Every structure is written in structure tokens, then in C-alpha cells.
């Protein structure tokens, strides 16, 4: 099982044209967890109004990735599949799958061209969706310290509970990475998308009823990050995302600070921590669809998670985990979101 991905990649490439003197890498991880979920249905709540929404849950996550590198081209693939099964809130049982594939070809010492695609599908629960994207890119890597990538592609999002949230969009993105030395690195990301929805734009409450144009949003994102790899691993990032819509109540501007930390502790323990704080601003003063904010999963909210991992042997790890997810109180509606999760798990690394 240890080299399943490597073997599959070699067979595929060999059939496609024969592979010689190539490097092949592969990795497989399977993690099972038993959790207590403090907000199983992921409900928003109002101040002073609460109810018991906790439940026990079993989760299973499998991750597989592989890389095939030949003299002038490279193929990289990744697949993640996860399932959650609740004891009481069985309507929240979910299956999530995500896959990404990238192929690139070197045109010379520093220039390369390639294509990439990604897909994510969530089934079950109250927020089923499919997210698809594909793009072509050009990459400039003059040395090991600097890498620049420009991509142009298309994005399609399908939200099954409400087709009004479906959209298609051309996208333009740029990524720059600079490695100061072997320990310090910086990154800069920018993205632009022109989204067209399968619904009409919403009128402001004060406007008289009339026919409106198709909903159209402009999505902008800018992010700057820093990573340190030494006695510990540290990552810091600031992200600004802006969605401007001709549909009333759908525009939002987001500021987000995030950090990751990894470090070795005594007794073969590894500490992994992740945290984020965000500020959402609504130009129209309202937001009518709070459930849409959770489409990127809880990790897109304010959050703090801590994991302690210890190897039991060469192929099995045990972990303790705890996390808190939440959002600031929304204007006008007074709704907020809070979800604590704790659990224990095992990871198999063949």
C-alpha cells in the first residue's frame, strides 16, 4: 500500500508515452476521529436564545497525493475524501470529496506553461454544493528564491439547496513567492473574478417593484503571507476579500488575519495550532443569507484549533484535538455563529 500512488502514476505516464529516468513520489494518509460537536447542525443563534445542539460524531478522512517528475515536465495530483456520521443529527451526515490535478512543461531554464484543475463536492447536510475550477498558467522561476505565476481560468459553483446562489466566472490570478533564505519566505496573491449568477439582482426594500438585471458580482482578493521554518514552523497571512454585487445585501468586504504553528515537544509530541480572526463589513448594512457564509467550511470563520500528535510506531499516530469556530454578530439580524469541537483520533501512514 505504501506506494500505491507512485505505481499508478508510473503506469499512467508509461502508457501515455513511456517514462524514462523520472522521479515518482506518493503518500497516503487515513485518519479516523471520534468527536463531540457542540453545534452539529451549524445553526446561527440570537443573543439570549439558545438550545442544545451538541452531538457525537465519527469522522473518517483519507488523503492521497502523488508527483511524477520527468526531465522537462511534471504531473502533480491530490485527492481528499472525508465522511462525518452523527449519532443524533443524522440529517447532517456528510460526504466531502476534493481533487486537484496540475501538469506543467518547462520551456527553458526559467519559464514554464501548464494547466490545473480542481473540484470539490459536498453531499449531505443542509449545504450541498459542487465547486469546479480550471485554468492555464505561465510560470517564471529564474532561481530557487523567486517564483512568479500568472493564471487565467474559469470557475463554476453550484449550490443545490438554492439555485439563486449558482454562478459562473472567468478568473485571473497572480502568485509571487520569494525565499529570503532557507528559513524565511514571503508570498503575495491576487485574484479577480466576474461572477454571473443564475438569478436576478435583488432590489433594496425601499425601491418600488420592477424588473431587474441578472445578478453580477465582482470578486477581488489580495493576500500577503510569511513563513518561517526552523526549530518551529510558523505561518502568518493577511487576506482582504471584496465582493461587490448589484444585488442588494450581497456585497461584503472581509479582512482576515491567520496564523499556523508547528513545533516539537518532549515525549515525541508535536503541537499543531491554527488560528484566524476576521472582520466582515456589509456596505448595504444587512446580510440576508447567513448560511452562505459557511460554504467554505468552518475554517473560513474566526477559529482556533489545537492538535497534539504522538507516533505510536512507524506507521500509526494518535492525536488529541480541540477547536472553536465562530463569527461576529451580524448587523440588523443580530445572528452569530459558535461551534466548539473536541476529539481523539488515529492516523495511519502506510
Amino acid at each position: 500500500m505504501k506506494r500505491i500512488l507512485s505505481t499508478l502514476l508510473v503506469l499512467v505516464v508509461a502508457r501515455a508515452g513511456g517514462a524514462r529516468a523520472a522521479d515518482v513520489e506518493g503518500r497516503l494518509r487515513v485518519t479516523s476521529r471520534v468527536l463531540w460537536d457542540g453545534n452539529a447542525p451549524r445553526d446561527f443563534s440570537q443573543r439570549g436564545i439558545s438550545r442544545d445542539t451538541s452531538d457525537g460524531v465519527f469522522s473518517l478522512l483519507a488523503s492521497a497525493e502523488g508527483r511524477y517528475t520527468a526531465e522537462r515536465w511534471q504531473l502533480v495530483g491530490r485527492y481528499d475524501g472525508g465522511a462525518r456520521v452523527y449519532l443524533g443529527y443524522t440529517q447532517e451526515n456528510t460526504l466531502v470529496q476534493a481533487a486537484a490535478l496540475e501538469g506543467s512543461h518547462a520551456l527553458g531554464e526559467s519559464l514554464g506553461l501548464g494547466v490545473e484543475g480542481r473540484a470539490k463536492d459536498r453531499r449531505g447536510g443542509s449545504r450541498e454544493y459542487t465547486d469546479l475550477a480550471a485554468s492555464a498558467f505561465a510560470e517564471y522561476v529564474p532561481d530557487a528564491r523567486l517564483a512568479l505565476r500568472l493564471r487565467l481560468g474559469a470557475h463554476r459553483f453550484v449550490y443545490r439547496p438554492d439555485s439563486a446562489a449558482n454562478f459562473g466566472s472567468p478568473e485571473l490570478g497572480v502568485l509571487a513567492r520569494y525565499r529570503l533564505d532557507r528559513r524565511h519566505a514571503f508570498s503575495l496573491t491576487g485574484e479577480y473574478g466576474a461572477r454571473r449568477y443564475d438569478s436576478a439582482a435583488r432590489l433594496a426594500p425601499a425601491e418600488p417593484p420592477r424588473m431587474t438585471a441578472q445578478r453580477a458580482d465582482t470578486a477581488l482578493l489580495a493576500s500577503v503571507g510569511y513563513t518561517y521554518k526552523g526549530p518551529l514552523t510558523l505561518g502568518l497571512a493577511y487576506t482582504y476579500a471584496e465582493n461587490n454585487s448589484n444585488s442588494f445585501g450581497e456585497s461584503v468586504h472581509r479582512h482576515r488575519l491567520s496564523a499556523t504553528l508547528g513545533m516539537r515537544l518532549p515525549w515525541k509530541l508535536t503541537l499543531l495550532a491554527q488560528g484566524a480572526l476576521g472582520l466582515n463589513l456589509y456596505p448595504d448594512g444587512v446580510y440576508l443569507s447567513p448560511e452562505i457564509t459557511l460554504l467554505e467550511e468552518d475554517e473560513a470563520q474566526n477559529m482556533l484549533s489545537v492538535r497534539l500528535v504522538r507516533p505510536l510506531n512507524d506507521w500509526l499516530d494518535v492525536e488529541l484535538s480541540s477547536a472553536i469556530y465562530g463569527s461576529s454578530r451580524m448587523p440588523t439580524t443580530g445572528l452569530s455563529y459558535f461551534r466548539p469541537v473536541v476529539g481523539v483520533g488515529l492516523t495511519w501512514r502506510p
Side-chain angles (χ1 to χ4, degrees), residues 151-174:
R151 68 175 182 87
L152 178 64
H155 185 187
R156 176 61 174 169
F157 180 82
V158 177
Y159 185 51
R160 295 187 185 86
D162 184 1
S163 61
N166 299 351
F167 70 80
S169 170
E171 291 187 338
L172 177 67
V174 61

Side-chain angles (χ1 to χ4, degrees), residues 96-164:
V96 181
Q97 299 182 85
L101 185 64
E102 176 185 306
S104 59
H105 179 73
L107 300 180
E109 294 296 327
S110 58
L111 184 63
L113 297 177
V115 293
E116 59 183 348
R118 62 174 174 81
K120 184 175 182 180
D121 185 77
R122 188 180 195 271
R123 301 296 177 111
S126 58
R127 300 175 180 91
E128 293 189 335
Y129 65 87
T130 298
D131 195 12
L132 305 171
S135 61
F137 63 84
E139 194 165 38
Y140 176 65
V141 187
D143 53 47
R145 301 178 68 180
L146 178 65
L148 300 173
R149 175 179 290 195
L150 178 67
R151 68 175 182 87
L152 178 64
H155 185 187
R156 176 61 174 169
F157 180 82
V158 177
Y159 185 51
R160 295 187 185 86
D162 184 1
S163 61

